[in-house]
Amino acid sequence: MACSTFAVTASPPRVLLCILLAIPGLAGWIFPRFVYKKTLAGEIRRIQPLIEGKYSEIDELCKKGTSLLH
């Protein structure tokens, strides 16, 4: 994106070069969002069973604690 900006502000302006350099720059802004979403979804699928297992452990401990109080 910086090279694209420098190309358009040059004397004389290099509009074609600006367009050619802006395309990969914009792709570099947009593409990581999709990669992040896909990576996040994969991590959630991987970690969710572990979280549910810990919730089950906590539930069992709370039940045991409650039975000791009553």
Side-chain angles (χ1 to χ4, degrees):
M1 286 304 289
C3 292
S4 173
T5 302
F6 291 136
V8 81
T9 59
S11 179
R14 310 268 193 247
V15 177
L16 183 60
L17 181 61
C18 172
I19 293 169
L20 290 175
L21 294 173
I23 292 170
L26 290 174
W29 280 2
I30 296 169
F31 183 67
R33 173 140 176 99
F34 297 110
V35 172
Y36 171 76
K37 282 187 168 187
K38 185 172 180 159
T39 304
L40 181 64
E43 288 295 310
I44 288 172
R45 279 193 303 270
R46 185 179 68 83
I47 293 174
Q48 191 66 31
L50 300 173
I51 293 172
E52 292 297 325
K54 288 297 177 183
Y55 282 155
S56 297
E57 285 181 37
I58 292 169
D59 185 49
E60 290 298 318
L61 285 172
C62 289
K63 285 179 183 177
K64 288 179 184 178
T66 301
S67 68
L68 289 174
L69 289 174
H70 296 297

